Amino acid sequence: IGIASVGWCVLGEERIIDLGVRAFDKAETAKEGDSLNLIRRQARLMRRRLCRRAWRLTKLARALKHHGLIDDTDAFGPKHPTKTSPWQLRVAGLDRLLSQEEWARVIYHLCKHRGFHWVSRAEEKAAEGDGKSEGGKVKTALEQTKTLKNEKNYRTAAEMVLAEFPEAQRNKQGDYGKALSRVLLSEELGLLFARQR
């Protein structure tokens, strides 16, 4: 069995009775050679990812309400805008006690934008030597942001982002210059919890 053919044979007691090959069109696009199901698969994976993210944030909002930090689980929706950005609250939380709502916004922001994490060590290793692929670009950007934070002695990733990228804190499509690893954000959340305590 191949990707575009199936070979077959009918065997008798002492001889081959008949044999042949049934050929058919490959299940690939003619130009790139990608699977015909690739677009459907990517859309399905994106739907799954967005659904899981929405459910994770819903569970977080319920937990924050359960612990008395917010009154309404819709507190982070567009109907409840705030004057202070979550990035500024994350930096302020290092030096002063945040109100319950501010602290909830910081936790929600960190859980919503939780940083880049490699799926496997093999994927990370494969991206190491390849600077032209998307994985290689991400790997390089993660190393650069980690180095920048350490060289300039920023306490947290948020402090670095506000100081280095005050006009836009998020990456644009194809540019990973502001990529943050999940490890950096985990360290920041731990430090914020310690400082708030």
Side-chain angles (χ1 to χ4, degrees):
I1 297 174
I3 63 169
S5 64
V6 177
W8 60 271
C9 178
V10 180
L11 297 173
E13 291 282 330
E14 298 177 10
R15 65 184 185 89
I16 297 173
I17 297 171
D18 202 0
L19 55 88
V21 175
R22 177 61 63 108
F24 45 85
D25 294 334
K26 292 182 192 177
E28 296 178 344
T29 56
K31 290 183 181 177
E32 294 87 19
D34 293 333
S35 169
L36 292 176
N37 199 28
L38 180 66
I39 294 169
R40 287 182 58 212
R41 185 184 323 125
Q42 287 174 337
R44 182 176 65 249
L45 293 174
M46 181 60 74
R47 283 193 307 271
R48 228 180 252 166
R49 184 181 306 130
L50 292 175
C51 183
R52 286 175 182 160
R53 178 182 178 195
W55 177 236
R56 185 176 66 244
L57 294 176
T58 299
K59 288 193 303 184
L60 174 64
R62 288 177 184 171
L64 293 172
K65 182 180 178 183
H66 176 74
H67 290 288
L69 291 175
I70 55 174
D71 297 326
D72 183 18
T73 55
D74 195 33
F76 307 108
K79 294 179 182 176
H80 303 281
T82 58
K83 296 177 183 176
T84 310
S85 84
W87 292 97
Q88 292 168 333
L89 288 175
R90 283 164 61 177
V91 174
L94 297 170
D95 301 317
R96 71 172 174 88
L97 184 64
L98 298 174
S99 71
Q100 288 187 337
E101 185 184 339
E102 289 175 333
W103 181 227
R105 285 196 175 280
V106 166
I107 294 171
Y108 191 86
H109 189 254
L110 276 162
C111 291
K112 186 175 183 180
H113 306 285
R114 53 194 191 145
F116 184 83
H117 183 68
W118 294 102
V119 175
S120 65
R121 287 193 177 132
E123 183 188 25
E124 183 180 5
K125 199 166 188 173
E128 231 169 71
D130 188 12
K132 293 182 180 178
S133 72
E134 193 169 0
K137 291 177 186 175
V138 171
K139 176 86 172 163
T140 305
L142 290 172
E143 290 297 326
Q144 287 173 346
T145 51
K146 182 180 176 183
T147 305
L148 181 65
K149 179 186 173 288
N150 293 336
E151 283 178 353
K152 297 201 175 179
N153 293 322
Y154 292 114
R155 294 178 289 179
T156 62
E159 196 173 52
M160 175 193 69
V161 166
L162 281 182
E164 299 293 328
F165 319 112
E167 68 287 338
Q169 287 79 38
R170 302 291 307 276
N171 290 315
K172 302 293 186 221
Q173 192 170 6
D175 174 36
Y176 301 102
K178 301 167 193 159
L180 299 171
S181 76
R182 194 170 295 174
V183 174
L184 279 181
L185 297 181
S186 175
E187 289 170 1
E188 178 178 351
L189 186 59
L191 180 60
L192 281 166
F193 264 100
R195 299 291 290 174
Q196 289 303 300
R197 283 191 190 105

mmCIF file of all heavy atoms in Angstrom, residues 127-168:
data_model
loop_
_atom_site.group_PDB
_atom_site.id
_atom_site.type_symbol
_atom_site.label_atom_id
_atom_site.label_comp_id
_atom_site.label_asym_id
_atom_site.label_seq_id
_atom_site.Cartn_x
_atom_site.Cartn_y
_atom_site.Cartn_z
ATOM 1 N N ALA A 127 14.281 23.359 16.721
ATOM 2 C CA ALA A 127 14.270 24.787 16.404
ATOM 3 C C ALA A 127 15.608 25.451 16.687
ATOM 4 O O ALA A 127 15.867 26.553 16.213
ATOM 5 C CB ALA A 127 13.169 25.478 17.204
ATOM 6 N N GLU A 128 16.472 24.773 17.447
ATOM 7 C CA GLU A 128 17.741 25.358 17.871
ATOM 8 C C GLU A 128 18.625 25.792 16.712
ATOM 9 O O GLU A 128 19.107 26.897 16.667
ATOM 10 C CB GLU A 128 18.488 24.364 18.755
ATOM 11 C CG GLU A 128 18.942 24.953 20.045
ATOM 12 C CD GLU A 128 19.445 23.885 20.996
ATOM 13 O OE1 GLU A 128 20.524 23.333 20.716
ATOM 14 O OE2 GLU A 128 18.769 23.617 21.998
ATOM 15 N N GLY A 129 18.848 24.915 15.765
ATOM 16 C CA GLY A 129 19.793 25.224 14.701
ATOM 17 C C GLY A 129 19.186 25.890 13.491
ATOM 18 O O GLY A 129 19.898 26.309 12.587
ATOM 19 N N ASP A 130 17.859 26.015 13.456
ATOM 20 C CA ASP A 130 17.185 26.533 12.269
ATOM 21 C C ASP A 130 16.691 27.945 12.524
ATOM 22 O O ASP A 130 15.645 28.138 13.140
ATOM 23 C CB ASP A 130 16.020 25.603 11.904
ATOM 24 C CG ASP A 130 15.400 25.961 10.574
ATOM 25 O OD1 ASP A 130 15.995 26.770 9.843
ATOM 26 O OD2 ASP A 130 14.323 25.430 10.263
ATOM 27 N N GLY A 131 17.427 28.939 12.059
ATOM 28 C CA GLY A 131 17.059 30.328 12.270
ATOM 29 C C GLY A 131 16.038 30.863 11.298
ATOM 30 O O GLY A 131 15.479 31.935 11.495
ATOM 31 N N LYS A 132 15.766 30.128 10.231
ATOM 32 C CA LYS A 132 14.835 30.617 9.211
ATOM 33 C C LYS A 132 13.399 30.159 9.445
ATOM 34 O O LYS A 132 12.470 30.830 9.030
ATOM 35 C CB LYS A 132 15.289 30.158 7.823
ATOM 36 C CG LYS A 132 16.585 30.802 7.391
ATOM 37 C CD LYS A 132 16.987 30.375 5.999
ATOM 38 C CE LYS A 132 18.294 31.036 5.594
ATOM 39 N NZ LYS A 132 18.734 30.612 4.269
ATOM 40 N N SER A 133 13.209 29.038 10.108
ATOM 41 C CA SER A 133 11.848 28.537 10.352
ATOM 42 C C SER A 133 11.186 29.367 11.447
ATOM 43 O O SER A 133 11.829 30.111 12.184
ATOM 44 C CB SER A 133 11.878 27.071 10.756
ATOM 45 O OG SER A 133 12.398 26.953 12.062
ATOM 46 N N GLU A 134 9.879 29.200 11.566
ATOM 47 C CA GLU A 134 9.139 29.934 12.580
ATOM 48 C C GLU A 134 9.594 29.530 13.983
ATOM 49 O O GLU A 134 9.758 30.376 14.862
ATOM 50 C CB GLU A 134 7.641 29.675 12.414
ATOM 51 C CG GLU A 134 6.788 30.621 13.208
ATOM 52 C CD GLU A 134 5.323 30.541 12.840
ATOM 53 O OE1 GLU A 134 4.947 29.742 11.969
ATOM 54 O OE2 GLU A 134 4.548 31.293 13.441
ATOM 55 N N GLY A 135 9.816 28.226 14.190
ATOM 56 C CA GLY A 135 10.300 27.753 15.489
ATOM 57 C C GLY A 135 11.655 28.335 15.842
ATOM 58 O O GLY A 135 11.918 28.682 16.990
ATOM 59 N N GLY A 136 12.533 28.455 14.835
ATOM 60 C CA GLY A 136 13.846 29.044 15.063
ATOM 61 C C GLY A 136 13.762 30.508 15.439
ATOM 62 O O GLY A 136 14.498 30.991 16.316
ATOM 63 N N LYS A 137 12.848 31.236 14.786
ATOM 64 C CA LYS A 137 12.656 32.662 15.103
ATOM 65 C C LYS A 137 12.136 32.830 16.528
ATOM 66 O O LYS A 137 12.573 33.716 17.265
ATOM 67 C CB LYS A 137 11.677 33.289 14.119
ATOM 68 C CG LYS A 137 12.216 33.422 12.714
ATOM 69 C CD LYS A 137 11.147 33.978 11.787
ATOM 70 C CE LYS A 137 11.608 33.974 10.345
ATOM 71 N NZ LYS A 137 10.530 34.397 9.431
ATOM 72 N N VAL A 138 11.193 31.963 16.913
ATOM 73 C CA VAL A 138 10.644 32.022 18.275
ATOM 74 C C VAL A 138 11.738 31.723 19.297
ATOM 75 O O VAL A 138 11.880 32.422 20.300
ATOM 76 C CB VAL A 138 9.469 31.032 18.436
ATOM 77 C CG1 VAL A 138 9.043 30.916 19.884
ATOM 78 C CG2 VAL A 138 8.288 31.461 17.579
ATOM 79 N N LYS A 139 12.531 30.692 19.035
ATOM 80 C CA LYS A 139 13.621 30.299 19.951
ATOM 81 C C LYS A 139 14.596 31.457 20.138
ATOM 82 O O LYS A 139 14.993 31.779 21.263
ATOM 83 C CB LYS A 139 14.341 29.075 19.371
ATOM 84 C CG LYS A 139 15.541 28.614 20.146
ATOM 85 C CD LYS A 139 15.164 27.682 21.239
ATOM 86 C CE LYS A 139 16.413 27.085 21.860
ATOM 87 N NZ LYS A 139 16.132 26.499 23.130
ATOM 88 N N THR A 140 14.974 32.103 19.041
ATOM 89 C CA THR A 140 15.895 33.248 19.103
ATOM 90 C C THR A 140 15.287 34.390 19.904
ATOM 91 O O THR A 140 15.954 34.998 20.752
ATOM 92 C CB THR A 140 16.235 33.730 17.686
ATOM 93 O OG1 THR A 140 16.744 32.623 16.937
ATOM 94 C CG2 THR A 140 17.252 34.846 17.694
ATOM 95 N N ALA A 141 14.004 34.705 19.639
ATOM 96 C CA ALA A 141 13.345 35.809 20.346
ATOM 97 C C ALA A 141 13.223 35.524 21.840
ATOM 98 O O ALA A 141 13.416 36.429 22.666
ATOM 99 C CB ALA A 141 11.963 36.049 19.743
ATOM 100 N N LEU A 142 12.933 34.281 22.210
ATOM 101 C CA LEU A 142 12.826 33.935 23.625
ATOM 102 C C LEU A 142 14.166 34.118 24.343
ATOM 103 O O LEU A 142 14.219 34.620 25.471
ATOM 104 C CB LEU A 142 12.345 32.490 23.789
ATOM 105 C CG LEU A 142 10.896 32.204 23.393
ATOM 106 C CD1 LEU A 142 10.630 30.710 23.419
ATOM 107 C CD2 LEU A 142 9.924 32.932 24.296
ATOM 108 N N GLU A 143 15.238 33.719 23.676
ATOM 109 C CA GLU A 143 16.577 33.893 24.254
ATOM 110 C C GLU A 143 16.913 35.373 24.400
ATOM 111 O O GLU A 143 17.513 35.794 25.395
ATOM 112 C CB GLU A 143 17.628 33.192 23.389
ATOM 113 C CG GLU A 143 17.550 31.676 23.438
ATOM 114 C CD GLU A 143 17.806 31.105 24.818
ATOM 115 O OE1 GLU A 143 18.623 31.665 25.575
ATOM 116 O OE2 GLU A 143 17.159 30.093 25.146
ATOM 117 N N GLN A 144 16.534 36.183 23.390
ATOM 118 C CA GLN A 144 16.829 37.618 23.434
ATOM 119 C C GLN A 144 16.090 38.315 24.570
ATOM 120 O O GLN A 144 16.673 39.126 25.291
ATOM 121 C CB GLN A 144 16.468 38.270 22.093
ATOM 122 C CG GLN A 144 17.422 37.923 20.975
ATOM 123 C CD GLN A 144 16.960 38.438 19.621
ATOM 124 O OE1 GLN A 144 15.815 38.836 19.454
ATOM 125 N NE2 GLN A 144 17.859 38.403 18.643
ATOM 126 N N THR A 145 14.802 37.995 24.756
ATOM 127 C CA THR A 145 14.057 38.644 25.836
ATOM 128 C C THR A 145 14.573 38.201 27.211
ATOM 129 O O THR A 145 14.657 39.011 28.128
ATOM 130 C CB THR A 145 12.542 38.357 25.727
ATOM 131 O OG1 THR A 145 12.328 36.956 25.601
ATOM 132 C CG2 THR A 145 11.926 39.085 24.561
ATOM 133 N N LYS A 146 14.959 36.936 27.325
ATOM 134 C CA LYS A 146 15.515 36.453 28.594
ATOM 135 C C LYS A 146 16.836 37.150 28.896
ATOM 136 O O LYS A 146 17.080 37.590 30.026
ATOM 137 C CB LYS A 146 15.716 34.938 28.513
ATOM 138 C CG LYS A 146 16.236 34.310 29.774
ATOM 139 C CD LYS A 146 16.407 32.810 29.615
ATOM 140 C CE LYS A 146 17.008 32.191 30.851
ATOM 141 N NZ LYS A 146 17.251 30.758 30.698
ATOM 142 N N THR A 147 17.685 37.275 27.870
ATOM 143 C CA THR A 147 18.973 37.952 28.038
ATOM 144 C C THR A 147 18.782 39.420 28.387
ATOM 145 O O THR A 147 19.464 39.954 29.265
ATOM 146 C CB THR A 147 19.805 37.816 26.744
ATOM 147 O OG1 THR A 147 19.924 36.437 26.415
ATOM 148 C CG2 THR A 147 21.178 38.431 26.893
ATOM 149 N N LEU A 148 17.842 40.080 27.704
ATOM 150 C CA LEU A 148 17.559 41.500 27.956
ATOM 151 C C LEU A 148 17.111 41.705 29.404
ATOM 152 O O LEU A 148 17.575 42.626 30.084
ATOM 153 C CB LEU A 148 16.483 41.994 26.982
ATOM 154 C CG LEU A 148 16.084 43.459 27.075
ATOM 155 C CD1 LEU A 148 17.261 44.363 26.701
ATOM 156 C CD2 LEU A 148 14.896 43.742 26.169
ATOM 157 N N LYS A 149 16.248 40.853 29.893
ATOM 158 C CA LYS A 149 15.763 40.955 31.279
ATOM 159 C C LYS A 149 16.913 40.798 32.268
ATOM 160 O O LYS A 149 17.022 41.561 33.234
ATOM 161 C CB LYS A 149 14.695 39.896 31.534
ATOM 162 C CG LYS A 149 14.156 39.909 32.954
ATOM 163 C CD LYS A 149 13.213 38.733 33.180
ATOM 164 C CE LYS A 149 12.791 38.638 34.629
ATOM 165 N NZ LYS A 149 13.833 38.186 35.532
ATOM 166 N N ASN A 150 17.780 39.829 32.015
ATOM 167 C CA ASN A 150 18.890 39.588 32.935
ATOM 168 C C ASN A 150 19.952 40.673 32.865
ATOM 169 O O ASN A 150 20.495 41.080 33.892
ATOM 170 C CB ASN A 150 19.521 38.225 32.653
ATOM 171 C CG ASN A 150 18.581 37.083 32.992
ATOM 172 O OD1 ASN A 150 17.676 37.239 33.804
ATOM 173 N ND2 ASN A 150 18.767 35.947 32.353
ATOM 174 N N GLU A 151 20.269 41.152 31.656
ATOM 175 C CA GLU A 151 21.308 42.175 31.495
ATOM 176 C C GLU A 151 20.925 43.490 32.159
ATOM 177 O O GLU A 151 21.755 44.167 32.753
ATOM 178 C CB GLU A 151 21.596 42.416 30.009
ATOM 179 C CG GLU A 151 22.441 41.344 29.359
ATOM 180 C CD GLU A 151 22.662 41.594 27.875
ATOM 181 O OE1 GLU A 151 22.056 42.537 27.319
ATOM 182 O OE2 GLU A 151 23.439 40.834 27.276
ATOM 183 N N LYS A 152 19.655 43.879 32.037
ATOM 184 C CA LYS A 152 19.225 45.171 32.574
ATOM 185 C C LYS A 152 18.614 45.048 33.966
ATOM 186 O O LYS A 152 18.068 46.021 34.488
ATOM 187 C CB LYS A 152 18.256 45.830 31.601
ATOM 188 C CG LYS A 152 18.914 46.139 30.259
ATOM 189 C CD LYS A 152 18.178 47.189 29.504
ATOM 190 C CE LYS A 152 18.914 47.560 28.231
ATOM 191 N NZ LYS A 152 18.206 48.575 27.471
ATOM 192 N N ASN A 153 18.704 43.857 34.549
ATOM 193 C CA ASN A 153 18.252 43.615 35.919
ATOM 194 C C ASN A 153 16.800 44.023 36.181
ATOM 195 O O ASN A 153 16.492 44.637 37.210
ATOM 196 C CB ASN A 153 19.171 44.310 36.931
ATOM 197 C CG ASN A 153 20.546 43.699 36.937
ATOM 198 O OD1 ASN A 153 20.690 42.488 36.809
ATOM 199 N ND2 ASN A 153 21.561 44.527 37.052
ATOM 200 N N TYR A 154 15.921 43.697 35.249
ATOM 201 C CA TYR A 154 14.495 43.908 35.491
ATOM 202 C C TYR A 154 14.013 42.840 36.457
ATOM 203 O O TYR A 154 14.433 41.687 36.377
ATOM 204 C CB TYR A 154 13.709 43.828 34.189
ATOM 205 C CG TYR A 154 13.984 44.972 33.232
ATOM 206 C CD1 TYR A 154 14.602 44.740 32.012
ATOM 207 C CD2 TYR A 154 13.618 46.272 33.555
ATOM 208 C CE1 TYR A 154 14.855 45.778 31.132
ATOM 209 C CE2 TYR A 154 13.868 47.319 32.684
ATOM 210 C CZ TYR A 154 14.486 47.065 31.471
ATOM 211 O OH TYR A 154 14.725 48.107 30.612
ATOM 212 N N ARG A 155 13.129 43.224 37.356
ATOM 213 C CA ARG A 155 12.628 42.255 38.330
ATOM 214 C C ARG A 155 11.689 41.243 37.682
ATOM 215 O O ARG A 155 11.703 40.074 38.045
ATOM 216 C CB ARG A 155 11.906 42.978 39.474
ATOM 217 C CG ARG A 155 12.845 43.831 40.321
ATOM 218 C CD ARG A 155 12.086 44.564 41.392
ATOM 219 N NE ARG A 155 11.267 45.623 40.792
ATOM 220 C CZ ARG A 155 10.468 46.429 41.466
ATOM 221 N NH1 ARG A 155 10.357 46.292 42.771
ATOM 222 N NH2 ARG A 155 9.772 47.365 40.858
ATOM 223 N N THR A 156 10.856 41.718 36.764
ATOM 224 C CA THR A 156 9.879 40.826 36.134
ATOM 225 C C THR A 156 9.798 41.105 34.633
ATOM 226 O O THR A 156 10.323 42.107 34.144
ATOM 227 C CB THR A 156 8.469 41.026 36.731
ATOM 228 O OG1 THR A 156 8.061 42.376 36.470
ATOM 229 C CG2 THR A 156 8.443 40.733 38.210
ATOM 230 N N ALA A 157 9.100 40.219 33.943
ATOM 231 C CA ALA A 157 8.906 40.383 32.501
ATOM 232 C C ALA A 157 8.080 41.630 32.201
ATOM 233 O O ALA A 157 8.350 42.349 31.242
ATOM 234 C CB ALA A 157 8.220 39.152 31.920
ATOM 235 N N ALA A 158 7.059 41.913 33.022
ATOM 236 C CA ALA A 158 6.213 43.087 32.797
ATOM 237 C C ALA A 158 7.013 44.374 32.923
ATOM 238 O O ALA A 158 6.831 45.315 32.140
ATOM 239 C CB ALA A 158 5.046 43.097 33.777
ATOM 240 N N GLU A 159 7.907 44.426 33.889
ATOM 241 C CA GLU A 159 8.758 45.604 34.072
ATOM 242 C C GLU A 159 9.629 45.816 32.836
ATOM 243 O O GLU A 159 9.787 46.940 32.356
ATOM 244 C CB GLU A 159 9.607 45.413 35.323
ATOM 245 C CG GLU A 159 10.244 46.670 35.844
ATOM 246 C CD GLU A 159 10.924 46.442 37.179
ATOM 247 O OE1 GLU A 159 11.741 45.511 37.284
ATOM 248 O OE2 GLU A 159 10.643 47.221 38.106
ATOM 249 N N MET A 160 10.171 44.733 32.296
ATOM 250 C CA MET A 160 10.992 44.821 31.092
ATOM 251 C C MET A 160 10.162 45.266 29.891
ATOM 252 O O MET A 160 10.566 46.140 29.128
ATOM 253 C CB MET A 160 11.628 43.461 30.794
ATOM 254 C CG MET A 160 12.400 43.425 29.478
ATOM 255 S SD MET A 160 12.839 41.772 28.953
ATOM 256 C CE MET A 160 11.260 41.088 28.528
ATOM 257 N N VAL A 161 8.982 44.676 29.721
ATOM 258 C CA VAL A 161 8.137 44.983 28.561
ATOM 259 C C VAL A 161 7.734 46.450 28.565
ATOM 260 O O VAL A 161 7.804 47.130 27.532
ATOM 261 C CB VAL A 161 6.900 44.062 28.534
ATOM 262 C CG1 VAL A 161 5.862 44.568 27.560
ATOM 263 C CG2 VAL A 161 7.311 42.645 28.156
ATOM 264 N N LEU A 162 7.318 46.982 29.723
ATOM 265 C CA LEU A 162 6.913 48.387 29.778
ATOM 266 C C LEU A 162 8.081 49.330 29.537
ATOM 267 O O LEU A 162 7.911 50.393 28.935
ATOM 268 C CB LEU A 162 6.253 48.701 31.116
ATOM 269 C CG LEU A 162 4.801 48.262 31.266
ATOM 270 C CD1 LEU A 162 4.266 48.675 32.624
ATOM 271 C CD2 LEU A 162 3.928 48.837 30.174
ATOM 272 N N ALA A 163 9.268 48.963 29.993
ATOM 273 C CA ALA A 163 10.439 49.823 29.807
ATOM 274 C C ALA A 163 10.971 49.756 28.378
ATOM 275 O O ALA A 163 11.332 50.779 27.790
ATOM 276 C CB ALA A 163 11.532 49.441 30.790
ATOM 277 N N GLU A 164 11.001 48.562 27.806
ATOM 278 C CA GLU A 164 11.604 48.380 26.488
ATOM 279 C C GLU A 164 10.627 48.584 25.331
ATOM 280 O O GLU A 164 11.018 49.007 24.253
ATOM 281 C CB GLU A 164 12.213 46.968 26.379
ATOM 282 C CG GLU A 164 13.304 46.684 27.382
ATOM 283 C CD GLU A 164 14.558 47.521 27.157
ATOM 284 O OE1 GLU A 164 14.874 47.852 25.993
ATOM 285 O OE2 GLU A 164 15.225 47.840 28.157
ATOM 286 N N PHE A 165 9.358 48.251 25.541
ATOM 287 C CA PHE A 165 8.347 48.347 24.473
ATOM 288 C C PHE A 165 7.129 49.118 24.967
ATOM 289 O O PHE A 165 6.028 48.559 25.056
ATOM 290 C CB PHE A 165 7.914 46.947 24.011
ATOM 291 C CG PHE A 165 9.027 45.949 23.880
ATOM 292 C CD1 PHE A 165 9.113 44.860 24.731
ATOM 293 C CD2 PHE A 165 10.003 46.103 22.900
ATOM 294 C CE1 PHE A 165 10.139 43.939 24.616
ATOM 295 C CE2 PHE A 165 11.030 45.191 22.787
ATOM 296 C CZ PHE A 165 11.102 44.102 23.642
ATOM 297 N N PRO A 166 7.277 50.402 25.292
ATOM 298 C CA PRO A 166 6.148 51.136 25.887
ATOM 299 C C PRO A 166 4.978 51.368 24.927
ATOM 300 O O PRO A 166 3.839 51.465 25.357
ATOM 301 C CB PRO A 166 6.780 52.466 26.298
ATOM 302 C CG PRO A 166 7.983 52.604 25.445
ATOM 303 C CD PRO A 166 8.467 51.224 25.145
ATOM 304 N N GLU A 167 5.244 51.421 23.629
ATOM 305 C CA GLU A 167 4.167 51.735 22.680
ATOM 306 C C GLU A 167 3.293 50.535 22.336
ATOM 307 O O GLU A 167 2.105 50.663 22.108
ATOM 308 C CB GLU A 167 4.726 52.355 21.388
ATOM 309 C CG GLU A 167 5.568 51.423 20.504
ATOM 310 C CD GLU A 167 6.943 51.098 21.047
ATOM 311 O OE1 GLU A 167 7.470 51.848 21.876
ATOM 312 O OE2 GLU A 167 7.488 50.061 20.630
ATOM 313 N N ALA A 168 3.852 49.345 22.320
ATOM 314 C CA ALA A 168 3.075 48.131 21.998
ATOM 315 C C ALA A 168 3.702 46.943 22.719
ATOM 316 O O ALA A 168 4.883 46.661 22.527
ATOM 317 C CB ALA A 168 3.056 47.897 20.498
#
